[in-house]
Amino acid sequence: MSAVSVKPRTASSGKADRRTMDFASLGLNVAGVVAGVAIWWSLTGSGVVGLPRPPEVLSRFIELLGNGQLLRDTAASLARVLTGFLLGVLLAIPVGFAMGWYKVARALVEPYLQFFRMIPPLAIIPLAIVTMGIEETPKIFVIFLASFLASVVATYQGVISVDRTMINAARVLGAKDFTIFRRVVVPASTPFILVGVRIGLGSAWATVVAAELIAAQSGLGYRMQQAQLYYDLPTIFVSLFAIGILGLTMDRMLQAVERRLTIWQERI
Amino acid sequence: MTPKIVFDNVTRRFDLKDGSFLALDRFSLDVADGEFVTVVGPSGCGKSTALNIAAGLLKASGGEVTVDGKPVEGPGPERGMIFQQYALFPWLSVRDNVEFGLRVKGEPPARRREIAERFIDLVGLGQFADALPKTLSGGMKQRCAIARAYAVDPVILLMDEPFGALDALTRVQLQDQLLETWSRERRTVMFITHDVDEAVYLANRVVVMAAGPGRLQEIIEVDLPYPRTEEIRLSPEFTAIRNRVWHAVYHQQPAQSHG
């Protein structure tokens, strides 16, 4: 019974410890960022490197935000990323499950998967442009392919690594295949799937900019391409920051979802 | 009275790259209704194989297992199983784990809750009904697994070294608790262990098996009264039976002596 009285105390002190830790590391994070900006400022200010100084980038940021261009570009890129990414993940999950659950599906799909995994999605861009034109379709397709390939492997791994004993436990409790799939395999492979989804999102971002560099009339990648022509470095900086911050924000959101859904996992 | 579980010349062969391996050779055993049978033997004696065949998780290569006269053809909720690795569903609370089999059965929520509550209390986890398995100790996890197996109202409990991963003290506590549960909710139990003391302490009969190939060696009656207590555990009668079982396990005759 001692476990009952001891447990809440250790749990709460553990949480408090973690909070102090969080504050400490957050402080260090902020210090790191401030130091980075300071180094950037001092290097560019002294003219050692030919890059724009922080205030120039900041004023360009305000200007682009004011005339709505930054928001338009961001919206265009974001729409592509989200469409391609969602389509990719939505297809990857059933395909990954089918591969993990049915040997036939695995044998049929695996060669294609392994082959296409070896081709960087960006290498598909020329083919996509020739066959699908320069509208939205080829860009979304490439992003779709990138996020699909990244998350399908993770899902498949998740399904095949579900503990056999757990499946047996469900079977002796009377569960049939469909119930085992829905109530055991799906929840047990959720952590793997979520890792795949995060990797997929990373590849989606990596791909969108490249796709926009090659053929686009809008988007953050297109904006950088234009700025390059005019030697407009502050605009390139603003676009890069926008991409980085958006990617980071989305990844953090997924991380929060992941933590929420896998709270039951034993962490070492 | 007809026996509850009948192993009739059950044989199991596993195919390997170079030939096959005889894991269980013509194993026959009758287990009476409400009996507590423990099975001991060295590793490779086929004890887990026999249990898995009875559970329907493994097919026999020859012979058959019948439960209440009906041949076992696959897993079913009338044969509950408890695993050494607990096999709880980590994303479900203790309560939801215990309710799992009832949900599969299609019991309405109110009834599920009522049954689960009863068995959670029976194994003494009442305060932890809403806890996730990761917050429980090994012994508590296994108690939850026992409640989960009991909840679907099985006629038999098949236990595969359920206390093998626990420390000695927890193990003794769980043995007493299992006997307590068994005396209140009488089921036919087939319990596998490699611990001779545990085998004798729990059982009506101890089945000793031998390896290479896995087979029945000897059946030893445990003529000690229930409830089993510490006194019994320390009694000369217990020691005598324990010595017999020990001898049967560790001084086995070679395979040909068995016909």
Side-chain angles (χ1 to χ4, degrees), chain B residues 16-211:
Chain B
L16 301 175
K17 255 185 278 174
D18 37 2
S20 70
F21 162 68
L22 190 58
L24 193 61
D25 185 20
R26 289 163 292 162
F27 176 72
S28 293
L29 176 71
D30 290 356
V31 183
D33 191 14
E35 194 182 10
F36 201 127
V37 165
T38 53
V39 184
V40 272
S43 56
C45 71
K47 54 190 192 295
S48 285
T49 306
L51 196 79
N52 278 311
I53 291 171
L57 293 172
L58 208 61
K59 293 231 177 306
S61 315
E64 67 172 4
V65 179
T66 54
V67 171
D68 285 326
K70 278 178 292 194
V72 167
E73 255 144 25
E78 77 285 357
R79 280 160 289 134
M81 187 151 175
I82 289 155
F83 304 85
Q84 183 178 359
Q85 314 90 318
Y86 323 125
L88 295 177
F89 306 116
W91 53 90
L92 298 179
S93 65
V94 167
R95 185 195 310 284
D96 289 337
N97 264 288
V98 177
E99 283 188 20
F100 186 93
L102 300 166
R103 195 187 286 267
V104 169
K105 241 189 194 175
E107 295 282 0
R111 175 136 180 75
R112 281 203 311 252
R113 208 180 162 85
E114 186 195 316
I115 297 173
E117 207 107 294
R118 189 170 132 235
F119 287 105
I120 291 169
D121 285 343
L122 190 69
V123 299
L125 284 179
Q127 281 169 291
F128 298 93
D130 296 307
L132 284 171
K134 70 168 181 182
T135 62
L136 305 180
S137 68
M140 288 157 87
K141 282 182 186 161
Q142 199 55 288
R143 275 146 65 190
C144 176
I146 291 170
R148 181 175 70 175
Y150 259 107
V152 290
D153 198 21
V155 291
I156 312 175
L157 283 177
L158 303 167
M159 308 184 79
D160 192 359
E161 295 191 32
F163 306 150
L166 303 172
D167 64 88
L169 187 62
T170 311
R171 183 186 272 231
V172 167
Q173 287 169 345
L174 280 197
Q175 288 165 3
D176 284 334
Q177 206 191 4
L178 177 64
L179 285 181
E180 161 84 16
T181 310
W182 176 70
S183 67
R184 281 201 264 169
E185 296 281 339
R186 195 65 162 233
R187 299 290 190 280
T188 308
V189 182
M190 188 168 168
F191 185 109
I192 284 181
T193 178
H194 51 246
D195 179 339
V196 171
D197 279 65
E198 180 169 82
V200 175
Y201 186 67
L202 295 172
N204 294 116
R205 283 190 299 160
V206 179
V207 175
V208 179
M209 294 181 72

Side-chain angles (χ1 to χ4, degrees), chain A residues 11-223:
Chain A
S12 65
S13 75
K15 202 172 277 175
D17 281 352
R18 210 168 312 141
R19 212 172 300 140
T20 346
M21 276 295 293
D22 280 354
F23 277 128
S25 64
L26 191 69
L28 286 173
N29 289 161
V30 171
V33 171
V34 170
V37 173
I39 292 170
W40 169 25
W41 204 326
S42 60
L43 282 179
T44 51
S46 62
V48 181
V49 283
L51 293 176
R53 281 173 294 128
E56 288 174 59
V57 174
L58 184 66
S59 67
R60 179 57 50 84
F61 169 73
I62 291 163
E63 179 196 328
L64 290 175
L65 197 63
N67 66 22
Q69 200 174 68
L70 184 62
L71 283 182
R72 270 200 306 282
D73 287 333
T74 304
S77 292
L78 206 55
R80 285 175 193 134
V81 165
L82 287 180
T83 317
F85 167 70
L86 286 178
L87 288 175
V89 167
L90 284 181
L91 185 68
I93 291 174
V95 170
F97 272 122
M99 285 177 67
W101 197 244
Y102 300 107
K103 283 206 172 73
V104 179
R106 187 184 314 169
L108 282 174
V109 179
E110 187 138 35
Y112 287 98
L113 195 67
Q114 297 304 346
F115 179 73
F116 279 104
R117 239 157 49 91
M118 289 302 119
I119 304 176
L122 295 183
I124 304 289
I125 290 179
L127 177 69
I129 288 174
V130 172
T131 53
M132 300 179 195
I134 52 164
E135 298 300 311
E136 289 302 289
T137 322
K139 299 177 200 73
I140 290 174
F141 175 76
V142 173
I143 295 163
F144 155 79
L145 196 65
S147 39
F148 171 76
L149 290 172
S151 23
V152 76
V153 178
T155 308
Y156 158 65
Q157 284 298 339
V159 175
I160 59 171
S161 55
V162 175
D163 186 359
R164 287 298 309 175
T165 319
M166 228 189 273
I167 292 178
N168 282 341
R171 287 175 69 198
V172 295
L173 288 167
K176 299 280 172 267
D177 271 8
F178 179 70
T179 314
I180 292 172
F181 182 76
R182 194 164 64 104
R183 296 207 181 275
V184 179
V185 177
V186 171
S189 44
T190 306
F192 286 85
I193 296 172
L194 290 172
V195 169
V197 167
R198 277 180 67 201
I199 299 171
L201 182 68
S203 346
W205 270 113
T207 316
V208 69
V209 175
E212 287 174 351
L213 285 175
I214 294 172
Q217 282 76 47
S218 63
L220 294 164
Y222 164 77
R223 194 59 54 206

